[in-house]
Amino acid sequence: QVQLVESGGGLVQPGGSLRLSCAASGSIFNINNMGWYRQAQGKQRELVADFTGIGGAHYAESVKGRFTISRDAGQNTVYLQMNSLKPEDTAVYYCHATRWPNEYWGQGTQVTVPS
């Protein structure tokens, strides 16, 4: 089993910044990938950012240039730096990990950007 614990959400004004953290614990060896998803009220969960297999990162078009995913392998932690936040970024943000053939989710952290 892999446990994922997110932190760092909150209320921020448009144009502001937040940094989300996701700490992985448990059977973290051979984790294939980690990333961030979000789900706005009444909408489907969507991928925000994750890592590619060649050391890069993949981003949703709506967050490119504003969000940055990074990781601290030694601490088993993944971050999501969110800048220039917009009201449409309001959602519950979930950390996600895959350790084939299973996938794991954190409990989610709320990010609210008022209009």
Side-chain angles (χ1 to χ4, degrees), residues 2-4 24-34 71 76 96-100 104:
V2 175
Q3 293 80 44
L4 304 172
S25 62
S27 300
I28 59 175
F29 58 92
N30 290 336
I31 286 180
N32 303 110
N33 197 13
M34 293 182 70
R71 58 188 164 191
N76 306 313
H96 174 261
T98 55
R99 182 173 174 268
W100 192 88
Y104 302 90

Side-chain angles (χ1 to χ4, degrees), residues 39-107:
Q39 187 168 18
Q41 192 169 9
K43 295 187 178 181
Q44 289 188 332
R45 193 172 297 189
E46 63 176 356
L47 175 67
V48 177
D50 65 358
F51 296 102
T52 66
I54 53 175
H58 167 260
Y59 296 93
E61 284 295 326
S62 59
V63 306
K64 278 184 179 178
R66 300 188 297 122
F67 291 12
T68 303
I69 189 171
S70 61
R71 58 188 164 191
D72 182 345
Q75 299 294 323
N76 306 313
T77 302
V78 175
Y79 305 96
L80 185 68
Q81 178 67 43
M82 305 186 293
N83 298 327
S84 302
L85 282 160
K86 304 175 181 180
E88 50 263 44
D89 295 317
T90 295
V92 178
Y93 284 71
Y94 296 91
C95 184
H96 174 261
T98 55
R99 182 173 174 268
W100 192 88
N102 300 309
E103 61 177 353
Y104 302 90
W105 296 92
Q107 81 285 356

Side-chain angles (χ1 to χ4, degrees), residues 3-23:
Q3 293 80 44
L4 304 172
V5 178
E6 303 103 333
S7 60
L11 173 69
V12 62
Q13 294 300 312
S17 297
L18 281 175
R19 189 175 83 153
L20 306 183
S21 300
C22 172

